[in-house]
Amino acid sequence: MWWGQCRPRLPVSPQQDPGLQPGSEQKRQAALTALAQLQCEKRIITKAAVARQAGVSLVFLRSHRDLVQAVEEAANTRSALVSSISPGSPASDQVIAALRRRLDEMKQQLAAKDQELRRKQREFDLL
C-alpha cells in the first residue's frame, strides 16, 4: 500500500470476545487502519473522521473505549505537534501550504459534486 512506509504505533487489539457481533472485529481493524492512514496523511484526526474513513458508524466507534482512546491520543499528539510549530517558521509555512492545497482539493470536489447534482436534477425534471 502507498502508506505502508508510514507505520504509526497502533494500540493492540484486545482478544476477540466471543460475544462480539459478527463483523465487529473487521470494523475494529478498519477503524485502526483508518486512524493509521489519517496519521500518515497528516490529516486532522477526530472520531468522525476515523469513522468516515473506516466506513463505520460513529456510534460503533464510540462504543469501543479502546478505539476512542486511540483516536484521542492520536489527536492530542497531532495537536501538540502542530502547536509546537512557531508562526513564521518554515514548518509553519509548510503546514499552511498543505492546508491550502487540501482546501483547494475540497473546493474542487465540492464543485464537481455540485455539478453532478445539477445534472441529476435536470434529468429528474425531465421525467
Side-chain angles (χ1 to χ4, degrees):
M1 293 184 155
W2 65 268
W3 51 275
Q5 295 171 343
C6 177
R7 294 185 184 172
R9 192 169 158 259
L10 294 175
V12 176
S13 174
Q15 293 292 331
Q16 185 168 352
D17 182 356
L20 286 178
Q21 293 183 2
S24 284
E25 190 58 32
Q26 289 88 354
K27 289 179 182 180
R28 291 174 53 74
Q29 290 304 318
L32 292 172
T33 301
L35 177 59
Q37 189 173 1
L38 290 172
Q39 287 175 310
C40 287
E41 294 173 358
K42 297 183 178 16
R43 290 175 47 196
I44 295 174
I45 297 171
T46 63
K47 289 184 271 296
V50 172
R52 188 172 38 254
Q53 183 79 18
V56 299
S57 72
L58 197 51
V59 173
F60 173 84
L61 190 67
R62 287 181 178 156
S63 67
H64 293 82
R65 286 187 180 184
D66 60 319
L67 294 177
V68 170
Q69 183 180 3
V71 170
E72 288 172 352
E73 286 175 4
N76 290 339
T77 300
R78 178 162 168 69
S79 294
L81 179 64
V82 170
S83 65
S84 69
I85 298 172
S86 62
S89 71
S92 176
D93 293 342
Q94 289 177 349
V95 169
I96 291 169
L99 290 172
R100 285 190 175 143
R101 282 192 302 274
R102 181 76 177 130
L103 180 60
D104 289 340
E105 289 172 10
M106 294 176 89
K107 284 180 181 178
Q108 289 174 354
Q109 290 174 354
L110 180 61
K113 288 181 180 184
D114 193 36
Q115 186 177 23
E116 178 69 15
L117 181 62
R118 278 192 238 114
R119 186 184 64 76
K120 290 191 183 233
Q121 183 63 46
R122 282 192 300 267
E123 288 176 12
F124 182 74
D125 289 343
L126 292 174
L127 296 176

